[in-house]
Amino acid sequence: EVNKAGGWYRYLNIDYCDHLDKNITIPIKGKLSSDSSSPGELRENFALFNKTVLKLLPNYIFHVERDSISGKVERLYTYACLGRLPFEEKFSFNLLTRTHNYTSDEILHAVKSVNATTHGMLDISGLRVNNASQYTDCGITAGTIYNI
């Protein structure tokens, strides 16, 4: 959900935890950028009862790829500062798409290409990839993907 007038957004971050063998859902709320020259500079954190609990941390939308005909966003790349977890600073790199029909090779190619535009500035070591077959294994089908 995005509230442009209020300058905020919120979403549910759903992650699979190997050690729990199940998904966990973390509500996130953040502030939209108020700087028109850097509209992708967001700030967000965990939200409890629709209120952020901790200091808002940066989450940057740093690259957008649009369909050449419709202009709709096809891929969105983000890089977020997660803070100290538990002993070192952690970061989150995300490739968000309108579909989940990508192979691991296609995803890694897209990630490497966009990281090259940053001259390798992003820490993508330990990158985990969720490809089309993993979405299918989790029971996620095209009907369960919500387009915004």
Side-chain angles (χ1 to χ4, degrees), residues 60-119:
Y60 300 103
I61 299 172
F62 69 93
H63 188 74
V64 176
E65 295 173 6
R66 295 182 179 274
D67 180 80
S68 60
I69 297 170
S70 70
K72 284 182 94 174
V73 173
E74 291 293 319
R75 293 184 184 137
L76 185 75
Y77 298 82
T78 69
Y79 195 73
C81 302
L82 302 178
R84 190 169 291 281
L85 300 174
F87 303 110
E88 62 183 314
E89 292 291 323
K90 293 290 185 178
F91 302 91
S92 175
F93 175 92
N94 291 286
L95 165 55
L96 308 172
T97 66
R98 292 195 175 273
T99 69
H100 61 280
N101 299 324
Y102 294 97
T103 66
S104 292
D105 286 342
E106 290 169 324
I107 293 168
L108 290 172
H109 176 75
V111 169
K112 288 177 184 175
S113 294
V114 79
N115 195 33
T117 68
T118 71
H119 305 289

Side-chain angles (χ1 to χ4, degrees), residues 10-70:
R10 67 180 174 182
Y11 63 93
L12 295 176
N13 186 38
I14 303 170
D15 294 300
Y16 178 77
C17 290
D18 292 334
H19 65 286
L20 298 175
D21 196 29
K22 67 177 188 175
N23 290 338
I24 62 166
T25 301
I26 303 168
I28 303 290
K29 187 171 182 182
K31 291 177 70 172
L32 297 169
S33 175
S34 58
D35 182 353
S36 61
S37 66
S38 296
E41 189 174 327
L42 311 175
R43 301 229 169 235
E44 64 182 35
N45 212 321
F46 168 71
L48 187 62
F49 303 112
N50 203 29
K51 300 284 184 201
T52 53
V53 177
L54 302 169
K55 173 184 165 187
L56 297 181
L57 298 172
N59 185 6
Y60 300 103
I61 299 172
F62 69 93
H63 188 74
V64 176
E65 295 173 6
R66 295 182 179 274
D67 180 80
S68 60
I69 297 170
S70 70

